[in-house]
Amino acid sequence: MQAEKGAQSRIPPDGSVRIDPGFVKTLAGICIILELVLGLLVWCLVVATPYKFQSSPGWVVFVSVFFWILTIFVFIVNFFCLYMRHGRRSWTIVEIIFNVSAVIFYFSAAIVEASFVSMTAKVMTGHHVAAAVFAFIVTILYFINMVQSFRTLKH
């Protein structure tokens, strides 16, 4: 509560945007940067394989690209403190919803990619194995971010 009051007192009176370079040093900031890097690896590894006629890798690409774009948005909002206009509490609720959905969808994509490796991938198996491993790691990162958002909401 005290941190929220201090953060709200730093809102510039002219409505300009404030940059928070310290955000990238927080647990949430580090998780988001890792989600972006590893999420990019997931969809690049899958797209680099000839998957065009199979739906399983298509689901993995959809989930990873969709959440990669949304994670960029979340990073921008946090880095530029754009949540200050509506209050930290409302933004934290949005982050919780985002992270819960990311955990669910990324976990399903990781399972689909891992099962695709074991069932059918004969060409470029290493790409699919790496994509599955990175997808599970990204799922864990979104889970850590979700727990961090719950903790922020409590305080």
Side-chain angles (χ1 to χ4, degrees):
M1 190 70 160
Q2 197 64 276
E4 187 175 320
K5 287 180 184 177
Q8 287 181 349
S9 66
R10 294 183 300 219
I11 298 173
D14 61 352
S16 62
V17 175
R18 186 177 78 76
I19 296 175
D20 182 13
F23 171 71
V24 295
K25 296 177 185 175
T26 65
L27 179 61
I30 292 168
C31 282
I32 287 176
I33 291 169
L34 289 173
E35 290 162 5
L36 288 171
V37 171
L38 297 178
L40 177 67
L41 281 173
V42 170
W43 62 272
C44 285
L45 286 167
V46 176
V47 169
T49 63
Y51 76 93
K52 283 29 172 200
F53 301 108
Q54 295 136 347
S55 62
S56 298
W59 171 249
V60 177
V61 170
F62 169 75
V63 169
S64 57
V65 170
F66 180 75
F67 281 103
W68 189 76
I69 291 169
L70 288 179
T71 303
I72 289 174
F73 172 75
V74 169
F75 179 79
I76 289 170
V77 168
N78 281 305
F79 188 72
F80 291 105
C81 299
L82 299 175
Y83 58 83
M84 295 289 210
R85 299 177 193 276
H86 301 288
R88 180 71 186 160
R89 187 170 178 83
S90 341
W91 176 246
T92 303
I93 292 169
V94 170
E95 281 186 312
I96 289 171
I97 294 167
F98 167 71
N99 286 315
V100 166
S101 61
V103 166
I104 293 167
F105 281 96
Y106 242 106
F107 187 65
S108 74
I111 290 173
V112 165
E113 185 65 12
S115 65
F116 180 75
V117 169
S118 67
M119 289 187 330
T120 59
K122 293 185 178 38
V123 179
M124 302 180 88
T125 304
H127 283 66
H128 289 288
V129 170
V133 169
F134 288 138
F136 280 112
I137 293 171
V138 172
T139 303
I140 293 168
L141 289 168
Y142 278 115
F143 182 80
I144 292 169
N145 235 345
M146 178 188 70
V147 170
Q148 184 66 27
S149 295
F150 275 117
R151 287 183 180 165
T152 302
L153 187 65
K154 281 186 172 181
H155 300 303

